[in-house]
Amino acid sequence: MKIWKKLTIFLGAGAVSVPLAIMGLFIYATHDMCGNEVYSEVLSPNREHKVVMFQRDCGATTGFSTQISILDSGDELENESGNIYIIDGQPKEVSPNARWASNTELRIERSLNGSEYKAESSWGLDEIKVTYVAGSS
């Protein structure tokens, strides 16, 4: 009887641990499928910040997106989503013009029309104002 008890415990543990291990391996292998490709960078007039326009691609099951982040000038773009602006499409086709109006205001030359996934109006502790104006898109 002891051998059957040990065998049952062994098989039960295997039935639980093998699927958990496979699920963990899948999550580990796919957790960072996205990648960013910088399209353009523009420094603020005082050179303390920069606006980075980039393409984000998260694999075959999703399309490309154009994203914009404001960063401190010494920071590199991390493998994260944009912190200011996100729309569908590749930058060469849909990127708006982004320019600094001052050290504390970024102008994105594209009217908001509801197709944006993100369109923030400010950024950071320095409270950089982000405005969206009609212009070339």
Side-chain angles (χ1 to χ4, degrees):
M1 182 72 177
K2 282 186 171 183
I3 190 78
W4 290 110
K5 189 175 182 180
K6 287 180 181 179
L7 185 59
T8 302
I9 291 171
F10 177 75
L11 291 175
V16 171
S17 62
V18 169
L20 285 176
I22 291 171
M23 187 170 66
L25 184 60
F26 177 77
I27 290 170
Y28 175 76
T30 61
H31 82 284
D32 201 10
M33 291 181 61
C34 296
N36 294 338
E37 182 179 328
V38 173
Y39 184 71
S40 66
E41 291 185 5
V42 181
L43 285 170
S44 63
N46 65 4
R47 305 178 82 72
E48 288 183 14
H49 300 98
K50 63 183 173 183
V51 61
V52 181
M53 189 171 313
F54 60 99
Q55 175 177 290
R56 186 159 175 85
D57 177 17
C58 291
T61 60
T62 62
F64 296 104
S65 63
T66 295
Q67 304 195 15
I68 297 175
S69 285
I70 297 175
L71 305 172
D72 291 333
S73 62
D75 290 350
E76 293 295 319
L77 181 66
E78 300 288 329
N79 190 15
E80 298 174 351
S81 295
N83 61 19
I84 297 298
Y85 186 74
I86 303 173
I87 58 172
D88 277 335
Q90 295 177 320
K92 64 183 178 184
E93 298 167 358
V94 300
S95 66
N97 185 27
R99 64 180 180 84
W100 292 95
S102 70
N103 291 324
T104 59
E105 184 180 357
L106 176 68
R107 289 195 180 171
I108 297 176
E109 294 182 358
R110 184 179 183 110
S111 298
L112 299 179
N113 62 16
S115 66
E116 304 83 10
Y117 294 103
K118 180 184 270 189
E120 299 294 333
S121 59
S122 65
W123 175 82
L125 298 175
D126 298 332
E127 275 299 313
I128 293 176
K129 182 180 175 185
V130 181
T131 57
Y132 301 87
V133 297
S136 61
S137 50

